[in-house]
């Protein structure tokens, strides 16, 4: 009798009410980085043919999906400086439950603060633009053909500068700004090929980043970048050590097309002087001088000469003087920058032959060494060349320039 009464009492006290139980801690906290989140729940005494529904009230919450025991959603990264709140309303038949959601803010300036241990890449010269290109790669793992080291972190910066790499290219000092014009101007890193990825345990990119803004600062043996990605993350990358990138530029042994010594004497020529100010950061003026045997159309012997004077004065008279050859890697006062060929690009001081305003590609030579003298005679300028090309041929003669054109290109 006692046993029957006990069982009867237990059956009468059993709760058959339908309940929606939130098992996750509330308010539900979302990290500032966002991503996929899940709220755990349970339904006691479920009702046949009734399904749980979930709706968020904030634009930064999306992809709300109800599963068997959890509600998942995706939260955007909180790029503001203040905590933000939202609610997710769960409805099961007549039952409603409001879950408060709070998203925190970033603690500190950077999402990723990376001390890179590996630096490399390639020096590409002027292969793809009119400015010198250094394609920098750095991170915490070995650089190889695929950059597929497990757990590797890799950043890529497509940098353009006015300084040639030389025999051992070192990324030049300076400040480089993010640019998405596609024009690859001096002092920029280009948007198209600048990127980053973090590899997974198999060496495959688990997370990829696209740049939206940033600055690179290069000083002696130090690379520092602060970049913002399209997902809102801010990355700080520092490398300390030699900033060497191997050259992949293939250049011919000689640029000269001369087969014999060259001599000339032009008495009714034209000189065009273009002033660029302290373009090469030497503290002295850079001038580009063009010597034309004839004009309208241009025909005959034609020289382009890059000069560094001994002042910053911007008058044609300040160009008067004697200039000796110097490498673009070791500029000095009163020098002309020695001509050379890198890849397929003719650089600095060169001799050309022009036919009706077009360069004759079968002729020409770099002014690789020697002296150039600029004199003024009344209103005329006399430019005398005593030079050699890069294959030992002499290039000697003078231009008596009755016409002088001056342009300030600063």
């Amino acid at each position: 009798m006692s046993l029957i009464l006990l069982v009867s009492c237990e059956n009468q006290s059993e709760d058959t009410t339908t309940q929606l139980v939130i098992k996750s801690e509330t308010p539900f906290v979302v990290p500032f980085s966002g991503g996929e989140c899940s709220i755990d729940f349970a339904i006691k005494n479920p009702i046949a043919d009734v399904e749980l529904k979930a709706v968020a009230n904030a634009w930064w919450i999306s992809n709300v999906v109800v599963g068997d025991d959890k509600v998942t959603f995706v939260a955007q990264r909180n790029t503001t400086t203040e905590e933000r709140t939202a609610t997710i309303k769960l409805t099961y038949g007549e039952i409603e439950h409001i879950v408060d959601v709070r998203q925190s803010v970033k603690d500190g300036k950077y999402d990723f603060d990376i001390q890179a241990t590996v630096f490399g890449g390639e020096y590409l010269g002027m292969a793809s633009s009119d400015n010198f290109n250094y394609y920098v790669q750095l991170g915490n793992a070995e650089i190889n053909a695929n950059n597929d080291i497990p757990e590797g972190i890799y950043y890529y910066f497509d940098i353009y500068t006015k300084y040639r790499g030389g025999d051992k290219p070192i990324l030049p000092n300076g400040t480089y700004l993010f640019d998405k014009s596609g024009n690859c101007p001096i002092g920029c890193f280009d948007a198209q090929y600048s990127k980053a990825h973090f590899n997974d345990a198999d060496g495959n990119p688990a997370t990829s980043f696209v740049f939206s803004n940033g600055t690179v600062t290069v000083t002696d043996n130090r690379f520092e970048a602060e970049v913002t990605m399209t997902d809102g993350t801010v990355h700080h990358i520092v490398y300390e050590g030699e900033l060497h990138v191997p050259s992949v530029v293939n250049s011919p042994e000689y640029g000269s097309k001369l087969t014999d010594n060259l001599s000339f004497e032009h008495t009714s020529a034209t000189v065009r002087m273009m002033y660029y100010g302290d373009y090469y950061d030497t503290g002295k003026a850079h001038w580009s001088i063009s010597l034309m045997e004839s004009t309208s159309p241009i025909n005959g012997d034609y020289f382009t000469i890059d000069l560094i004077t001994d002042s910053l004065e911007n008058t044609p008279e300040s160009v008067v003087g004697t200039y000796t050859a110097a490498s673009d890697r070791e500029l000095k006062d009163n020098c002309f920058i020695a001509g050379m060929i890198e890849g397929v690009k003719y650089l600095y001081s060169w001799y050309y032959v022009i036919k009706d305003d077009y360069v004759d590609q079968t002729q020409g030579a770099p002014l690789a060494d020697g002296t150039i003298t600029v004199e003024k005679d009344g209103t005329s300028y006399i430019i005398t060349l005593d030079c050699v090309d890069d294959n030992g041929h002499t290039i000697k003669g003078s231009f008596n320039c009755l016409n002088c054109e001056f342009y300030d290109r600063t």
Side-chain angles (χ1 to χ4, degrees):
M1 178 69 73
S2 297
L3 179 59
I4 293 172
L5 289 174
L6 178 60
V7 172
S8 175
C9 290
E10 285 180 351
N11 289 338
Q12 290 176 3
S13 63
E14 183 178 348
D15 188 356
T16 59
T17 304
T18 300
Q19 299 180 47
L20 172 59
V21 180
I22 305 301
K23 304 177 77 173
S24 295
E25 185 176 347
T26 56
F28 187 84
V29 178
V30 176
F32 77 90
S33 56
E36 186 172 292
C37 306
S38 61
I39 299 172
D40 296 333
F41 70 88
I43 296 177
K44 293 184 177 180
N45 302 314
I47 304 170
D49 299 325
V50 174
E51 296 181 351
L52 180 69
K53 297 179 181 180
V55 178
N57 74 340
W59 63 267
W60 50 271
I61 294 177
S62 61
N63 297 343
V64 180
V65 177
V66 177
D68 292 336
D69 57 2
K70 63 182 60 179
V71 174
T72 60
F73 62 92
V74 175
Q76 293 191 19
R77 173 176 294 272
N78 187 359
T79 58
T80 72
T81 58
E82 297 181 354
E83 180 184 80
R84 57 188 179 187
T85 60
T87 61
I88 296 179
K89 183 170 74 171
L90 306 181
T91 305
Y92 187 77
E94 300 296 325
I95 302 172
E96 286 188 356
H97 197 113
I98 303 296
V99 178
D100 291 321
V101 179
R102 296 180 182 176
Q103 188 174 32
S104 60
V105 296
K106 180 171 56 181
D107 181 16
K109 186 176 182 180
Y110 305 116
D111 299 287
F112 299 95
D113 203 344
I114 306 296
Q115 184 69 47
T117 57
V118 178
F119 185 94
E122 297 176 329
Y123 170 68
L124 301 168
M126 290 183 167
S128 60
S129 79
D130 290 332
N131 299 313
F132 297 108
N133 182 200
Y134 296 73
Y135 192 59
V136 169
Q137 302 176 43
L138 70 162
N140 70 347
E142 175 191 358
I143 295 172
N144 59 32
N146 299 311
N147 285 344
D148 54 2
I149 303 302
E151 309 295 345
I153 294 175
Y154 294 96
Y155 290 88
Y156 306 78
F157 294 87
D158 191 26
I159 294 175
Y160 293 84
T161 176
K162 57 189 170 187
Y163 298 106
R164 189 175 63 87
D167 295 332
K168 184 179 181 181
I170 301 292
L171 182 64
N173 289 354
T175 299
Y176 303 93
L177 305 179
F178 179 76
D179 182 80
K180 54 185 179 182
S181 70
N183 296 324
C184 306
I186 287 171
C188 88
F189 61 100
D190 183 67
Q192 184 174 2
Y193 295 108
S194 298
K195 59 184 179 179
H197 63 84
F198 295 177
N199 290 349
D200 60 20
D202 296 320
N204 300 311
T207 307
S208 296
F209 299 96
V210 177
F211 290 19
S212 66
N213 209 343
T215 302
V216 171
T217 304
V218 179
T219 53
D220 290 345
N221 296 317
R222 179 179 171 85
F223 178 102
E224 182 175 10
E226 183 176 305
V227 292
T228 302
M229 305 300 184
T230 54
D231 66 354
T233 58
V234 180
H235 298 233
H236 181 234
I237 311 101
V238 174
Y239 176 83
E240 295 182 300
E242 186 179 54
L243 304 181
H244 170 57
V245 290
S247 176
V248 294
V249 180
N250 295 314
S251 301
E253 184 177 3
Y254 302 114
S256 178
K257 296 181 175 67
L258 293 180
T259 58
D260 201 352
N261 296 333
L262 174 69
S263 62
F264 50 89
E265 200 74 30
H266 302 303
T267 58
S268 299
T270 297
V271 59
R272 180 175 294 151
M273 299 183 178
M274 289 177 282
Y275 174 78
Y276 288 93
D278 189 14
Y279 181 80
Y280 286 111
D281 305 312
T282 62
K284 305 300 167 62
H286 168 235
W287 291 78
S288 177
I289 308 297
S290 297
L291 303 175
M292 294 167 277
E293 179 182 348
S294 66
T295 59
S296 300
I298 301 173
N299 271 296
D301 292 338
Y302 183 100
F303 286 83
T304 59
I305 303 168
D306 284 284
L307 301 178
I308 304 294
T309 63
D310 59 2
S311 74
L312 281 173
E313 190 176 339
N314 68 340
T315 63
E317 291 79 7
S318 68
V319 180
V320 171
T322 298
Y323 301 86
T324 57
S327 166
D328 64 334
R329 304 290 298 169
E330 298 178 349
L331 296 176
K332 58 186 180 182
D333 291 0
N334 296 314
C335 77
F336 74 89
I337 306 177
M340 60 169 297
I341 187 169
E342 183 180 76
V344 296
K345 297 286 186 176
Y346 296 171
L347 304 178
Y348 314 119
S349 303
W350 273 75
Y351 161 67
Y352 300 96
V353 175
I354 308 295
K355 295 182 178 179
D356 294 332
D357 292 335
Y358 290 92
V359 175
D360 181 353
Q361 300 294 339
T362 66
Q363 302 187 66
L367 305 179
D369 203 354
T371 61
I372 297 174
T373 302
V374 181
E375 302 172 280
K376 187 176 183 184
D377 182 13
T379 58
S380 300
Y381 284 85
I382 301 172
I383 294 91
T384 303
L385 296 87
D386 186 0
C387 300
V388 295
D389 66 9
D390 59 353
N391 199 18
H393 300 112
T394 60
I395 301 174
K396 294 185 177 183
S398 65
F399 280 73
N400 188 342
C401 300
L402 304 181
N403 303 308
C404 176
E405 302 174 10
F406 166 70
Y407 303 92
D408 189 334
R409 297 301 195 198
T410 54

